[in-house]
Amino acid sequence: MASTFLCIVLLFLAQSSPLASSASNNLNPGSSLSVENSADTLISTNGMFSAGFFPVGENAYCFGIWFTEPAAADAATQNLAVVWTANRDQPVNGRGSMFTLQKNGNLILTDAGKYTVWSSNNVFSNSLAQLILNDNGNLVLLTLKGVALWESFASPTDTLLPQQQLTRNTKLVSSRSLTNYSSGFYSLFFDNDNTLRLLYDGPEVSSIYWHDPWLLSLQAGRTTYNNSRVAVLDALGNFSASDGLNFMSSDYGVKLQRRLKADVDGNLRLYSRKKPGDRWVVSWQAIAEPCKIHGICGPNGLCTYEPSSGRKCSCLPGYEMRNKNDWAYGCQPTTEGFNVSCKSSTARDQFDFMYLPRVEYFGYDYFIYVNTSLEKCKAICLELCNCPGFHYKFGGGHHNCYPKTQFRNGYRTPGFKGELYLKLPKSILSSYNATAKEFNMCSSKLTSQLSRTYEKKSTNGSVNFMLKFASALGGLELVCIIVVWYFVMRSSKEKEESDVVTQGYLHAVTGFRRFSYSELKKATRGFKEEIGRGGGGIVYKGTLCDQRVAAIKQLNAATQGEAEFLAEVSLIGKLYHMNLIEMWGYCVEGKHRLLVYEYMEHGSLAEKLSSNVLDWNQKFEIAVGTAKGLAYLHEECLEWVLHCDVKPQNILLDSNYNPKVADFGLSQLLHRSEVSNSKFSRIRGTRGYMAPEWIQNMPITSKVDVYSYGIVVLEMLTGKSPAEGIQSSEGGGETQKKMMVSRVREKMNGGFENAESKKREELMKVALRCSEENRDARPTMTQVVEMLLHYQDDSESEIGNS
Ligand SMILES: *[C@@H]1O[C@H](CO)[C@@H](O)[C@H](O)[C@H]1NC(C)=O
Ligand SMILES: *[C@@H]1O[C@H](CO)[C@@H](O)[C@H](O)[C@H]1NC(C)=O
Ligand SMILES: *[C@@H]1O[C@H](CO)[C@@H](O)[C@H](O)[C@H]1NC(C)=O
Ligand SMILES: *[C@@H]1O[C@H](CO)[C@@H](O)[C@H](O)[C@H]1NC(C)=O
Ligand SMILES: *[C@@H]1O[C@H](CO)[C@@H](O)[C@H](O)[C@H]1NC(C)=O
Ligand SMILES: *[C@@H]1O[C@H](CO)[C@@H](O)[C@H](O)[C@H]1NC(C)=O
Ligand SMILES: *[C@@H]1O[C@H](CO)[C@@H](O)[C@H](O)[C@H]1NC(C)=O
């Protein structure tokens, strides 16, 4: 009985010990932080960072550093923004694990009180050292003289903090998945040619995917000559690297909390937030099109854009997923039919090709056969045993044939001109009805799933430990039962918590919610401050309860039902792009339909054009940004979100004059009933900006937005609005446009010397091509982006040379 009592007392002590110790920012030699005591956490003096143990799965912990305050939406779920981890690949047990600063100055992390899983590997016995968590998030081991023996900044995991240098010896490595913090496949590092790159290093192959691998470093705006290999982000949001890479966060200029992270999906993103507890927002990202990141769908997988999750993986026809839980392993041929040897001619006869338009597989060409007919190309691929198919592309005045050896890095994109011919046994082809039309990748049900389950880490160690502990006390079985019961309860509670963490993270990523009408009424102080009209409703400025300033749009008459509205709105809400207005939420109550957007400080492009305050560089950047936003909307499988009303009033400018396209998807929301099978039955848009297809009763495609974009650029160039001078006649806009075009043509003949006027020339070319009457003569938005970006790079390197 005595020992039962003792045990209960011990448990009580263990429970209440958090009260006993108070948070500090340093650890003295000979002391430890224990995984069992949640108060064993170092907190930087400014409170921003914490260092200690955090759970990564069932009874699995890592030692690391994180932003003390989780984002507000995640407060309940304790989802942490971890910035450094000591033992990401070897989590430790929840019992007996310790992080210790030994008396000799070495830092060690021990698992279950036994095995050393990590060590700072420095021994320094003379002058006693101290471990300090600095205000900038750096955990530093200092001698009494203030010399740093070891620092966490020198061994980053997946995150770079302001002032932390990325060097020749360090790299950022992504986590394996949202819930598995171990080293993943993507990394940011300085390559042998001194340039900063993103690498996919998967289970079978490795490849560089950023900067664009087909560009020479110089074309990508990088220099290979500076071999100091160092990159750093400053507190204001300016990132600069010795290879000339320089970018600024979209909220540059303010001291915010920031972190640059190699994300699990292979993208490099800069996150920022104004104050502790705010939601993290993406203020820069390296890759706008998620499908261009290598390795995401594995071999024989195909990536397509999908609004709800950003991107989606599927297998090529005739292939199936190799590992049902992990797309990294891609797809393999389905068993039946693929076994036929290619050597015999009878076997060859059993194969034929399926045509897949606009599918790109990067790399792994067997050879390039120039000026080759389709039949010849098919014959070549049939002869090759390991040729799974080929690309057939037009270039240099003839068709070229690219037989593949493997299918990797595949994605489907509207911008890609080539055609893929997939070699398949006839037996399989017939089941696809011999045409690619049957293979609608947009409706494929397979979705990308990262492994979200943790294997149960054996609790054997802790049970053993408790057994010894109990027997030392006298071995009363009752004691053991109480103790074991206590830990079983506790670990099942931890499991629940870690499940919630996963959901919380996903929610934080989309950050989209439903508001009540009274909440929005309060935010806008009774719909007082009107800041705009049009697009089906009136827009008010408001301040949400978390102090974010929002633009709240009250839609006119609600025509569709609540379910329809919700379906549509949640799709729009999930679109994320730097150049699209972000939707934070919506309200649907009775007949009220409201949308909540981020507020844009500099209003619309229309206002800025009429007050003539933009310089040429700004105009150029606005044209590029707008094109990027529209190109993103036009990606395959997103045809439904044609904008249909591109005009300067719908291009908004943030505090840095970055453009964001507004009101996309609204035409669907407002005229849902009229959209059937992508036929638009009624004319939409604004006079002057509308493509001729609307009037000529031709099919409406993404080229209508291209036309409107062209007119907007014309307006930026000439300062004349196409709406000017339109009276009641249909042709009014047309005449005005002709005037704008001829003005631009005149100017183009003027000659261009400096970089600025070259930018203007490029804009003129783009404007004229986009506003062609014939829609086939207009480029796609993706091509426009490429034209402008290509030019942007050129001009920068020219400036650099002069
Ligand atoms: C950003 O940093 C780079 C390199 O230090 C510097 O050249 C550039 O002027 C900085 N940009 C701004 C806006 O401070
Ligand atoms: C190389 O880059 C570093 C860091 O950006 C810079 O300080 C240094 O001046 C550069 N060296 C040369 C030779 O340009
Ligand atoms: C496929 O080939 C393997 C050996 O290459 C053979 O063992 C197997 O029976 C074949 N299967 C079919 C369905 O032909
Ligand atoms: C392509 O091949 C055809 C026939 O083989 C030939 O007539 C034509 O001149 C070739 N074109 C080029 C550009 O080489
Ligand atoms: C194949 O296509 C034909 C004509 O297009 C159609 O009638 C038939 O139902 C299709 N078969 C399958 C299995 O989809
Ligand atoms: C996390 O990923 C690593 C690497 O793929 C794997 O070995 C490990 O088992 C995973 N951990 C869990 C808990 O799933
Ligand atoms: C516990 O550990 C022992 C030895 O380490 C092992 O033999 C036994 O199978 C383990 N039990 C469980 C449930 O994992």
Side-chain angles (χ1 to χ4, degrees):
M1 243 7 245
S3 44
T4 314
F5 177 68
L6 185 60
C7 191
I8 288 167
V9 167
L10 278 173
L11 283 176
F12 179 72
L13 283 178
Q15 284 272 52
S16 60
S17 52
L19 299 172
S21 83
S22 67
S24 112
N25 75 337
N26 63 66
L27 189 67
N28 289 317
S31 35
S32 304
L33 300 174
S34 160
V35 68
E36 279 145 279
N37 187 350
S38 62
D40 270 4
T41 305
L42 304 182
I43 297 182
S44 62
T45 317
N46 62 1
M48 200 189 291
F49 295 97
S50 299
F53 287 95
F54 60 93
V56 296
E58 199 174 317
N59 195 38
Y61 289 79
C62 281
F63 185 87
I65 303 172
W66 61 88
F67 279 92
T68 307
E69 286 286 326
D74 315 327
T77 61
Q78 293 288 304
N79 180 34
L80 303 169
V82 176
V83 298
W84 178 77
T85 316
N87 57 321
R88 65 190 313 194
D89 291 317
Q90 222 176 329
V92 295
N93 202 298
R95 302 277 146 254
S97 300
M98 297 270 205
F99 184 80
T100 309
L101 172 54
Q102 294 178 315
K103 287 228 163 75
N104 64 6
N106 200 15
L107 280 169
I108 58 165
L109 177 59
T110 47
D111 187 7
K114 278 188 203 157
Y115 317 101
T116 303
V117 297
W118 176 87
S119 151
S120 66
N121 286 326
N122 56 292
V123 177
F124 190 88
S125 46
N126 290 345
S127 138
L128 279 183
Q130 195 184 39
L131 185 72
I132 295 188
L133 181 58
N134 282 339
D135 282 354
N136 60 2
N138 195 3
L139 188 64
V140 196
L141 187 58
L142 291 175
T143 65
L144 286 181
K145 288 190 181 128
V147 178
L149 296 175
W150 173 90
E151 55 182 338
S152 64
F153 268 18
S155 58
T157 45
D158 61 1
T159 302
L160 206 64
L161 289 169
Q163 298 160 19
Q164 178 178 11
Q165 288 191 336
L166 191 72
T167 66
R168 61 178 60 246
N169 300 320
T170 57
K171 58 183 178 179
L172 303 185
V173 179
S174 69
S175 289
R176 188 68 181 78
S177 73
L178 286 180
T179 51
N180 186 340
Y181 288 87
S182 16
S183 307
F185 299 136
Y186 298 100
S187 57
L188 175 77
F189 71 112
F190 278 102
D191 208 346
N192 289 337
D193 69 350
N194 298 322
T195 64
L196 205 50
R197 294 175 194 268
L198 285 171
L199 169 77
Y200 165 69
D201 191 5
E204 289 163 357
V205 297
S206 308
S207 54
I208 300 275
Y209 59 95
W210 180 82
H211 51 82
D212 280 339
W214 55 88
L215 290 183
L216 297 174
S217 297
L218 203 61
Q219 287 173 312
R222 314 287 191 86
T223 169
T224 56
Y225 300 119
N226 188 330
N227 60 9
S228 57
R229 296 195 192 173
V230 55
V232 67
L233 173 72
D234 74 15
L236 299 181
N238 181 8
F239 179 91
S240 64
S242 55
D243 69 351
L245 173 68
N246 187 210
F247 64 79
M248 267 173 275
S249 67
S250 58
D251 47 19
Y252 173 79
V254 206
K255 271 205 173 176
L256 301 177
Q257 296 189 7
R258 301 179 186 280
R259 57 194 171 103
L260 182 72
K261 186 173 178 199
D263 262 326
V264 288
D265 64 355
N267 215 336
L268 180 67
R269 294 193 181 86
L270 181 60
Y271 292 89
S272 59
R273 63 177 185 182
K274 287 216 168 62
K275 56 179 194 302
D278 277 359
R279 213 165 51 96
W280 290 98
V281 295
V282 179
S283 47
W284 178 85
Q285 63 182 353
I287 294 159
E289 290 169 83
C291 279
K292 289 199 173 165
I293 294 167
H294 284 182
I296 39 183
C297 297
N300 305 312
L302 187 62
C303 179
T304 43
Y305 181 81
E306 210 228 16
S308 61
S309 61
R311 65 184 180 196
K312 183 179 63 174
C313 292
S314 50
C315 286
L316 284 170
Y319 289 77
E320 63 191 3
M321 254 179 112
R322 209 188 291 176
N323 174 340
K324 290 276 176 284
N325 296 316
D326 197 343
W327 275 104
Y329 298 94
C331 309
Q332 61 194 7
T334 50
T335 38
E336 79 279 10
F338 264 80
N339 225 357
V340 207
S341 157
C342 57
K343 290 292 175 209
S344 73
S345 59
T346 50
R348 250 179 267 144
D349 285 346
Q350 296 178 28
F351 281 95
D352 206 345
F353 293 88
M354 179 187 273
Y355 165 68
L356 301 173
R358 288 173 292 167
V359 167
E360 161 79 316
Y361 277 90
F362 181 76
Y364 302 96
D365 294 330
Y366 173 79
F367 191 72
I368 301 170
Y369 296 88
V370 180
N371 194 12
T372 307
S373 72
L374 183 58
E375 287 317 307
K376 181 89 190 300
C377 195
K378 284 183 178 176
I380 291 169
C381 185
L382 284 176
E383 287 290 326
L384 292 168
C385 295
N386 63 354
C387 172
F390 60 89
H391 270 306
Y392 195 61
K393 292 188 229 185
F394 189 77
H398 40 73
H399 281 96
N400 303 321
C401 167
Y402 304 76
K404 294 275 169 185
T405 56
Q406 294 181 39
F407 286 141
R408 287 183 185 273
N409 312 322
Y411 61 92
R412 199 159 122 116
T413 170
F416 184 67
K417 283 275 173 48
E419 304 167 339
L420 184 79
Y421 287 84
L422 176 66
K423 183 158 104 180
L424 285 176
K426 285 178 177 161
S427 57
I428 293 182
L429 272 174
S430 60
S431 70
Y432 282 95
N433 220 351
T435 73
K437 276 179 196 151
E438 290 294 307
F439 180 56
N440 182 0
M441 279 161 284
C442 294
S443 64
S444 162
K445 286 284 175 282
L446 283 170
T447 51
S448 170
Q449 273 182 338
L450 288 164
S451 152
R452 290 192 207 292
T453 50
Y454 274 97
E455 281 168 36
K456 279 190 184 164
K457 184 159 178 163
S458 166
T459 50
N460 210 342
S462 70
V463 172
N464 274 341
F465 172 67
M466 290 316 297
L467 274 169
K468 284 178 197 158
F469 176 65
S471 54
L473 278 175
L476 271 182
E477 279 171 40
L478 181 63
V479 177
C480 300
I481 290 166
I482 292 172
V483 171
V484 170
W485 173 79
Y486 169 77
F487 284 113
V488 166
M489 288 309 285
R490 191 170 155 159
S491 74
S492 69
K493 191 170 151 238
E494 274 160 10
K495 182 177 182 299
E496 277 167 31
E497 277 166 5
S498 75
D499 287 350
V500 177
V501 168
T502 316
Q503 290 164 7
Y505 189 100
L506 293 175
H507 182 78
V509 168
T510 51
F512 181 74
R513 75 176 186 95
R514 183 177 186 145
F515 292 87
S516 70
Y517 186 72
S518 61
E519 211 175 338
L520 295 183
K521 197 168 170 182
K522 195 174 149 216
T524 54
R525 289 174 298 140
F527 300 100
K528 246 188 184 155
E529 193 178 341
E530 182 179 325
I531 51 174
R533 247 165 215 270
I538 303 175
V539 188
Y540 301 91
K541 185 173 174 178
T543 308
L544 304 178
C545 54
D546 57 7
Q547 301 309 315
R548 283 185 294 172
V549 182
I552 296 166
K553 176 170 236 169
Q554 193 165 31
L555 297 179
N556 297 338
T559 49
Q560 82 260 74
E562 186 170 327
E564 263 184 326
F565 179 84
L566 285 187
E568 209 76 61
V569 147
S570 63
L571 274 182
I572 300 173
K574 282 168 189 157
L575 292 176
Y576 176 78
H577 189 274
M578 297 161 87
N579 298 111
L580 296 181
I581 284 278
E582 195 179 339
M583 194 192 276
W584 288 340
Y586 60 91
C587 162
V588 45
E589 248 178 63
K591 61 183 188 344
H592 298 299
R593 302 279 186 274
L594 295 100
L595 304 174
V596 180
Y597 296 100
E598 60 180 321
Y599 175 74
M600 302 293 279
E601 276 151 69
H602 276 136
S604 73
L605 175 62
E607 294 159 28
K608 293 289 174 270
L609 285 180
S610 65
S611 58
N612 203 13
V613 292
L614 298 172
D615 65 30
W616 274 107
N617 274 327
Q618 282 171 325
K619 285 187 186 174
F620 187 80
E621 293 307 322
I622 289 169
V624 175
T626 307
K628 281 183 182 168
L630 289 173
Y632 180 81
L633 285 181
H634 290 174
E635 280 286 294
E636 193 83 340
C637 302
L638 267 185
E639 286 282 321
W640 56 274
V641 68
L642 291 185
H643 193 291
C644 296
D645 198 9
V646 177
K647 56 181 175 179
Q649 287 78 3
N650 281 337
I651 298 167
L652 305 185
L653 304 172
D654 73 6
S655 52
N656 283 321
Y657 290 95
N658 291 319
K660 297 199 183 205
V661 177
D663 274 3
F664 50 88
L666 260 197
S667 53
Q668 273 70 16
L669 213 50
L670 297 169
H671 312 271
R672 172 85 204 186
S673 52
E674 295 165 23
V675 185
S676 57
N677 301 326
S678 76
K679 286 197 190 87
F680 293 72
S681 58
R682 205 173 72 188
I683 293 183
R684 307 260 167 76
T686 305
R687 277 275 186 80
Y689 299 94
M690 270 160 46
E693 290 98 293
W694 290 110
I695 299 151
Q696 293 157 4
N697 211 4
M698 280 163 63
I700 298 306
T701 64
S702 59
K703 292 295 179 70
V704 301
D705 286 349
V706 178
Y707 181 90
S708 309
Y709 173 83
I711 301 290
V712 170
V713 179
L714 278 178
E715 183 171 346
M716 286 163 71
L717 290 163
T718 60
K720 290 265 174 262
S721 158
E724 276 171 38
I726 296 184
Q727 311 301 330
S728 51
S729 74
E730 280 282 281
E734 191 46 36
T735 342
Q736 183 68 13
K737 184 198 147 195
K738 274 186 189 140
M739 240 179 64
M740 289 159 77
V741 167
S742 65
R743 235 176 226 236
V744 166
R745 289 232 162 86
E746 267 168 39
K747 283 190 186 171
M748 276 189 76
N749 295 328
F752 298 93
E753 315 81 36
N754 58 39
E756 184 192 292
S757 55
K758 280 187 179 162
K759 278 188 177 170
R760 204 180 322 171
E761 182 187 16
E762 194 58 27
L763 281 184
M764 289 177 179
K765 274 191 214 154
V766 163
L768 292 178
R769 283 196 55 198
C770 289
S771 57
E772 288 275 4
E773 295 293 299
N774 172 5
R775 70 175 170 169
D776 295 328
R778 297 174 211 146
T780 64
M781 258 2 268
T782 312
Q783 287 166 331
V784 170
V785 173
E786 277 158 15
M787 284 158 75
L788 293 178
L789 279 188
H790 174 72
Y791 178 77
Q792 203 175 28
D793 291 340
D794 279 2
S795 70
E796 269 160 19
S797 59
E798 273 168 36
I799 293 166
N801 290 341
S802 61

